[in-house]
Amino acid sequence: MPTLTSLTVYPLKSCAGLPLTRATVEPLGLQHDRRWMAVRPDGSFMTGRELPALVRVRAVPAPTGLHLSAPGMPDLEVHLPPSDAPRLDVTVWDDTCSAARASAQADRWLSQYLGEPTVLVHVDARMERPVDPKYAAPEDRVGFADGFPLLLISAASLADLNQRLPHPVPMARFRPNLVVSGTAAFAEDGWKRLRIGSVELAAVKPCARCVFTTVDPETARADPEQEPLRTLSTYRRTGGKVMFGQNIIVRRPGILQVGDAVEVLE
């Protein structure tokens, strides 16, 4: 039976991943995952696609908010915005939603590190961002992830890719929340419903990949040969997009642990 072998959370969109052995699954995805985001003053989202330095920001959830650290920067404690915090309309791709602003201190910290005016925002109880209705139920919601609450990739899919690459890449290039072992390569392409522990999930759409996959998460430098995207595009292109991994919606929240069996229901 397939097994869950990796759990990773990204508290700040595009930041360094934090590996976990146990995680709470909420309707929005893994608890703390992509609940914070850097945006420009006009509300447009900022990611590692155009600002690779974001991948070297370490954002660690704390009971009161978020602990930020990055090369050359002092550590910063960011408090959860109060219920009456100022709000900002922010955009993530085609979606616009109202998010809570964090603090002027956090804005200054990120602006200094990224070298341009930046605002830190948070997914609070008032924020509403529906999942694309073509793939989801009306009540499904997502935080600041690109479009869906979770991303799943099988270890065998990465192994298949690495056999084709001049230099293998780690799974961190693809920023999944869940990695499953014990399957054939790209078995996840055919999955529709899963149960992992008490958690039930729906696989709804392959994940379209972009230039962010070429950024080394350790150095924040882009691969000069545009790998692994170049190789992926030779055999994983569908409808003009390069696909790798499956976007997932939560159907029954609960607790996940590394080592849990993965049951394919459909």
Side-chain angles (χ1 to χ4, degrees):
M1 181 174 286
T3 303
L4 181 66
T5 50
S6 177
L7 279 167
T8 307
V9 66
Y10 308 86
L12 171 70
K13 188 175 179 67
S14 288
C15 76
L18 302 181
L20 305 173
T21 57
R22 175 185 170 94
T24 298
V25 180
E26 302 172 338
L28 293 184
L30 297 187
Q31 186 180 42
H32 303 302
D33 188 59
R34 297 170 172 102
R35 301 299 199 270
W36 303 79
M37 182 170 68
V39 300
R40 295 180 176 85
D42 66 359
S44 57
F45 73 134
M46 303 165 78
T47 79
R49 297 169 184 84
E50 71 276 8
L51 293 164
L54 271 168
V55 302
R56 301 190 73 192
V57 176
R58 183 173 169 82
V60 180
T64 58
L66 195 67
H67 179 91
L68 293 177
S69 60
M73 297 294 294
D75 288 7
L76 180 68
E77 298 292 337
V78 181
H79 291 287
L80 288 166
S83 58
D84 60 350
R87 307 190 68 77
L88 181 65
D89 285 343
V90 301
T91 57
V92 181
W93 298 114
D94 295 330
D95 298 335
T96 299
C97 51
S98 173
R101 294 188 61 154
S103 69
Q105 186 181 25
D107 297 349
R108 288 193 297 270
W109 192 95
L110 281 167
S111 298
Q112 180 180 343
Y113 177 68
L114 295 174
E116 63 174 278
T118 306
V119 176
L120 180 64
V121 294
H122 176 64
V123 176
D124 65 352
R126 294 170 58 188
M127 195 186 105
E128 285 280 323
R129 184 182 170 215
V131 179
D132 188 334
K134 291 199 298 288
Y135 306 101
E139 67 272 15
D140 289 324
R141 297 291 183 270
V142 64
F144 292 138
D146 275 357
F148 297 87
L150 294 165
L151 174 64
L152 179 151
I153 300 176
S154 72
S157 298
L158 179 65
D160 180 278
L161 169 62
N162 278 334
Q163 289 177 352
R164 304 165 189 260
L165 291 174
H167 305 287
V169 298
M171 187 64 85
R173 287 286 188 100
F174 299 98
R175 305 174 68 79
N177 300 111
L178 314 177
V179 177
V180 174
S181 297
T183 73
F186 304 109
E188 63 270 30
D189 289 352
W191 297 348
K192 293 184 179 179
R193 294 193 303 121
L194 311 173
R195 182 186 295 124
I196 308 176
S198 64
V199 176
E200 293 191 7
L201 307 169
V204 295
K205 180 184 178 296
C207 182
R209 309 316 303 231
C210 69
V211 69
F212 199 8
T213 60
T214 71
V215 176
D216 185 324
E218 299 297 325
T219 65
R221 289 196 290 267
D223 186 279
E225 301 300 322
Q226 292 292 288
E227 294 289 10
L229 193 61
R230 175 178 289 182
T231 294
L232 270 177
S233 69
T234 65
Y235 76 114
R236 293 290 299 173
R237 187 178 289 277
T238 302
K241 296 181 179 180
V242 179
M243 304 298 190
F244 192 77
Q246 285 290 318
N247 288 305
I248 303 289
I249 291 174
V250 178
R251 287 287 168 251
R252 180 188 292 170
I255 302 295
L256 291 179
Q257 296 189 89
V258 169
D260 281 346
V262 177
E263 184 180 0
V264 180
L265 303 176
E266 183 180 346

